């Protein structure tokens, strides 16, 4: 069950799924990991009734959450954030 929905990501996943892949295991890994990262790192604000709720990105397991880790984790999604 997915917890985060992104129409841009769904379109991109559909495009990737239609491609001809030489390595089907890599295809499966990519098609599962991209949405899983959003499911496990994006949290919407718990404010009921918000028309545009805030989203929070958790990219580390400590309060300092290293900038380099955050950048590397989110880079694949930047093209989809139009």
């Amino acid at each position: 069950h997915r917890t985060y929905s992104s129409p841009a990501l769904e379109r991109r996943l559909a495009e990737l799924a239609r491609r001809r892949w030489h390595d089907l295991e890599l295809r499966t890994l990519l098609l599962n990991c991209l949405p899983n990262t959003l499911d496990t790192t994006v949290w919407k604000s718990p404010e009921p009734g918000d028309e545009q709720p805030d989203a929070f990105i958790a990219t580390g397991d400590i309060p300092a959450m290293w900038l380099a880790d955050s950048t590397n984790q989110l880079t694949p999604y930047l093209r989809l954030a139009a």
Side-chain angles (χ1 to χ4, degrees):
H1 172 62
R2 304 260 297 271
T3 60
Y4 185 87
S5 177
S6 165
L9 178 62
E10 296 305 322
R11 284 190 302 275
R12 184 64 177 142
L13 289 173
E15 291 170 12
L16 291 171
R18 287 190 299 269
R19 283 188 179 179
R20 189 169 150 216
W21 290 77
H22 297 290
D23 186 336
L24 293 180
E25 289 181 12
L26 180 60
R27 175 191 184 270
T28 299
L29 182 66
L30 179 69
L31 295 177
N32 287 320
C33 286
L34 282 173
N36 179 267
T37 298
L38 289 181
D39 286 344
T40 59
T41 61
V42 177
W43 301 321
K44 293 182 181 177
S45 67
E47 299 297 322
D50 277 352
E51 289 182 23
Q52 292 189 9
D54 292 329
F56 300 93
I57 309 295
T59 59
D61 58 353
I62 60 174
M65 293 189 200
W66 306 107
L67 183 58
D69 292 344
S70 301
T71 301
N72 289 328
Q73 188 171 359
L74 296 174
T75 297
Y77 303 95
L78 292 178
R79 283 182 240 127
L80 303 172

